[in-house]
Amino acid sequence: MENNMQNEIRYQEALKRVKKIKGFYTHFIVYLVINIMIIISNIQNLESGESYFKLENFFTAFFWGIGLILHALSIFLPTWFLGNNWEEKKIQELMGKEENNKWE
């Protein structure tokens, strides 16, 4: 019974992680589509001889790109930085401390 419960917990954690990754990929695709549309619109509205490479044509891509990078870091960095089992180990450590404090 305990093994089934642990498998269910692992499954739920994996499902939660997959949903976060899927959310990031969705965010990335929307970023690409919208920025491509902005680029096309800006190119179509250029005057004859006008250069596309002006600072105002890159604001959306730049600032949204920062948000996209932060989103990616929030999803992929914890497993790289803290390790794959960090959360589980920390939970076990805290539960062990709690049990030890009950008997004091």
Side-chain angles (χ1 to χ4, degrees), residues 88-104:
E88 189 173 325
K89 289 177 185 176
K90 196 65 175 175
I91 289 169
Q92 295 301 322
E93 175 187 328
L94 293 173
M95 287 174 60
K97 284 182 182 179
E98 187 177 306
E99 279 186 28
N100 290 339
N101 288 338
K102 286 182 182 178
W103 300 106
E104 290 180 358

Side-chain angles (χ1 to χ4, degrees), residues 24-38:
F24 169 74
Y25 288 141
T26 302
H27 185 183
F28 181 70
I29 290 169
V30 170
Y31 171 82
L32 287 177
V33 169
I34 297 298
N35 280 291
I36 288 171
M37 289 171 49
I38 290 172

Side-chain angles (χ1 to χ4, degrees), residues 50-100:
E50 185 180 8
S51 173
Y52 177 76
F53 296 101
K54 296 184 284 185
L55 190 58
E56 61 264 16
N57 289 338
F58 298 98
F59 279 138
T60 303
F62 178 74
F63 289 109
W64 193 354
I66 290 172
L68 186 65
I69 289 169
L70 293 175
H71 189 179
L73 292 176
S74 75
I75 298 207
F76 299 112
L77 189 62
T79 57
W80 175 75
F81 181 65
L82 299 172
N84 291 333
N85 306 23
W86 182 84
E87 283 185 17
E88 189 173 325
K89 289 177 185 176
K90 196 65 175 175
I91 289 169
Q92 295 301 322
E93 175 187 328
L94 293 173
M95 287 174 60
K97 284 182 182 179
E98 187 177 306
E99 279 186 28
N100 290 339

Side-chain angles (χ1 to χ4, degrees), residues 12-24:
Q12 291 301 324
E13 289 173 355
L15 182 62
K16 183 178 172 183
R17 179 132 172 85
V18 166
K19 286 183 180 184
K20 286 182 180 183
I21 293 170
K22 182 180 177 185
F24 169 74

